[in-house]
């Protein structure tokens, strides 16, 4: 993050603390925070992500991205008195890492006066990510903990959102996360790639939106720091054994060398995505949720069944 000693390009008064390399702007602390919230507001409006009367379930983890999103939506939603904000936290069973994240998230939501609801993998599926990992079941299946965690978390969030009667789920995926996921999809040879974090309405499924999809991760980190948001700074014990971690490192280096690359990728990829996304609204025979076209059972139900069988052997 570049530290500079010039005046802010917005107010032309205070000293700039951040140089936005991809746009050439220099921002002071106050203008930076204001501008970031404004950009999230514009993202919501550009993609039509929220309705004035939405009951928004924000997926929080206790990390900087999700708590920053919660704080920004809290500010933005002040202009929409018919909307409601609540937080959902999923305990995947990641030992002390998740326990401390839950504690941080609960104290922050309490400070903002936002209700928080908790669900756990143990209660929903009968096992945690760490238990499945330690049992050797994931190794037998040839998958990483993040694959299990990601697929089951999506299912848990949907379940939680239904229980609290939310009309939309907001996740804290940043520009970096969205680009990483698109690239991972391509590297895995996926042919049916869905747009991420846009409001795709479906009569039975609660839409998932990503209001931070145009904000780089490092700007969210700076926002959290400047706002004094008490986020959990530890990283998940399984982060470093995921394929995503390698893609993340590559993209971070690339963006540092060639500022603006993430935006360029997102922009061109989303122009092409219509050709890649073939739709397909088939339903899982077990849980009734959508499956990729051609599948009778969704990936989550398939994994739950396989992990349970392997753990009970
Ligand atoms: Fe789950 Fe992987 Fe994220 Fe850890 S790093 S919370 S295991 S998806
Ligand atoms: Zn300024
Ligand atoms: Zn299913």
């Amino acid at each position: 993050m570049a530290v500079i000693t010039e005046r802010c390009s917005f107010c032309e008064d205070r000293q700039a603390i951040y140089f936005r390399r991809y746009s050439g702007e220099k921002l002071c602390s106050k203008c930076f925070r204001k501008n970031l919230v404004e950009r999230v507001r514009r993202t919501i409006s550009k993609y039509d992500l929220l309705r004035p009367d939405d009951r928004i379930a924000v997926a929080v983890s206790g990390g900087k991205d999700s708590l920053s999103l919660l704080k920004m939506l809290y500010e933005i939603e002040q202009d929409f008195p018919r909307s409601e904000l609540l937080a959902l936290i999923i305990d995947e069973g990641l030992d002390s890492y998740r326990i401390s994240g839950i504690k941080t998230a609960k104290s922050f939501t309490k400070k903002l006066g936002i209700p928080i609801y908790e669900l756990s993998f143990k209660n929903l599926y009968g096992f945690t990510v760490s238990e499945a990992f330690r049992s050797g079941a994931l190794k037998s299946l040839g998958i990483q903990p993040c694959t299990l965690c990601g697929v089951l978390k999506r299912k848990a969030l949907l379940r939680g959102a239904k229980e609290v009667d939310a009309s939309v789920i907001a996740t804290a995926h940043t520009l970096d996360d969205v680009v990483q996921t698109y690239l991972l999809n391509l590297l895995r040879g996926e042919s049916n790639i869905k747009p991420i974090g846009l409001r795709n309405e479906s009569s039975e499924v609660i839409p998932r939106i990503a209001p931070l999809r145009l904000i780089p991760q490092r700007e969210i980190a700076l926002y959290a720091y400047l706002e004094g948001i008490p986020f959990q700074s530890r990283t998940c014990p399984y982060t470093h054994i995921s394929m995503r971690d390698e893609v993340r490192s590559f993209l971070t280096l690339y963006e540092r060398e060639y500022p603006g690359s993430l935006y360029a990728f997102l922009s061109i990829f989303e122009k092409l995505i219509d050709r890649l996304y073939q739709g397909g609204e088939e339903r899982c025979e077990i849980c009734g949720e959508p499956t990729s076209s051609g599948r009778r059972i969704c990936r989550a139900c398939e994994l739950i069944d396989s992990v349970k069988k392997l753990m009970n052997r």
Side-chain angles (χ1 to χ4, degrees):
M1 211 168 280
V3 177
I4 43 171
T5 53
E6 293 172 50
R7 298 268 162 224
C8 170
S9 4
F10 282 54
C11 64
E12 297 177 353
D13 178 26
R14 289 177 289 269
Q15 186 181 319
I17 52 118
Y18 179 63
F19 175 45
R20 199 172 258 158
R21 290 182 64 202
Y22 58 86
S23 67
E25 293 158 330
K26 301 174 191 83
L27 296 103
C28 69
S29 167
K30 192 172 176 190
C31 292
F32 175 81
R33 285 176 286 150
K34 203 170 150 214
N35 171 262
L36 218 60
V37 177
E38 192 44 43
R39 286 175 64 195
V40 173
R41 209 189 289 267
R42 284 205 301 265
T43 306
I44 292 170
S45 150
K46 173 180 164 118
Y47 297 108
D48 200 15
L49 298 182
L50 289 170
R51 313 272 182 266
D53 57 353
D54 263 327
R55 184 166 158 79
I56 312 160
V58 183
V60 297
S61 65
K64 59 187 176 321
D65 300 349
S66 62
L67 296 186
S68 295
L69 172 65
L70 192 69
K71 172 86 171 37
M72 288 177 181
L73 288 179
Y74 175 78
E75 211 171 295
I76 292 168
E77 292 306 299
Q78 301 295 326
D79 295 338
F80 300 92
R82 284 189 297 136
S83 72
E84 287 173 86
L85 209 54
L86 54 96
L88 276 182
I89 190 156
I90 310 294
D91 179 2
E92 312 92 332
L94 301 166
D95 308 323
S96 62
Y97 165 71
R98 181 51 76 231
I99 295 166
S100 80
I102 290 174
K103 211 169 137 197
T104 308
K106 283 187 174 167
S107 96
F108 190 64
T109 48
K110 190 173 173 196
K111 203 170 140 201
L112 293 181
I114 296 172
I116 182 163
Y117 300 87
E118 186 181 338
L119 287 95
S120 75
F121 276 21
K122 188 76 178 171
N123 287 339
L124 293 172
Y125 313 125
F127 56 83
T128 68
V129 170
S130 288
E131 284 169 356
F133 179 68
R134 288 191 204 111
S135 73
L138 304 189
K139 201 171 174 195
S140 306
L141 289 169
I143 60 168
Q144 294 160 334
C146 292
T147 306
L148 180 77
C149 184
V151 172
L152 297 194
K153 192 149 49 188
R154 195 168 311 127
K155 190 175 181 64
L157 276 176
L158 191 55
R159 169 83 175 262
K162 278 182 186 161
E163 280 179 16
V164 297
D165 203 22
S167 56
V168 66
I169 300 168
T171 65
H173 291 98
T174 60
L175 172 68
D176 303 51
D177 297 319
V178 175
V179 172
Q180 282 160 26
T181 306
Y182 282 145
L183 205 52
L184 278 166
N185 281 327
L186 288 178
L187 292 170
R188 288 187 191 120
E190 303 267 352
S191 56
N192 195 13
I193 303 177
K194 281 186 197 169
I196 298 166
L198 300 181
R199 192 161 185 152
N200 299 313
E201 302 279 3
S202 156
S203 54
E204 288 167 69
V205 180
I206 301 172
R208 290 162 57 95
I209 59 162
L212 305 182
R213 70 194 318 277
L214 297 183
I215 313 286
Q217 193 118 42
R218 65 184 186 288
E219 297 197 5
I220 294 296
L222 181 58
Y223 173 86
Y225 171 75
L226 295 174
E227 282 289 340
I229 294 172
F231 59 88
Q232 157 167 275
S233 51
R234 289 167 60 188
T235 51
C236 173
Y238 300 113
T239 304
H240 302 296
I241 51 172
S242 71
M243 191 172 168
R244 180 180 287 270
D245 200 42
E246 287 164 34
V247 169
R248 182 189 294 118
S249 305
F250 160 71
L251 287 174
T252 304
L253 283 176
Y254 202 82
E255 173 68 24
R256 194 176 301 156
E257 202 62 33
Y258 306 103
S261 302
L262 295 182
Y263 282 118
F265 181 93
L266 186 87
S267 159
I268 194 70
F269 192 79
E270 292 197 332
K271 282 188 186 128
L272 297 171
I273 207 163
D274 281 347
R275 289 194 222 163
L276 294 166
Y277 182 46
Q278 298 140 16
E281 278 291 274
E282 286 164 54
R283 301 277 158 176
C284 169
E285 288 176 8
I286 298 176
C287 68
E289 283 163 23
T291 64
S292 320
S293 44
R295 276 175 181 268
R296 286 189 309 112
I297 311 289
C298 74
R299 179 87 171 122
C301 288
E302 206 175 76
L303 282 175
I304 295 166
D305 185 53
S306 310
V307 170
K308 275 185 174 164
K309 278 184 187 146
L310 286 163
M311 286 180 75
N312 293 331
R313 258 199 323 209

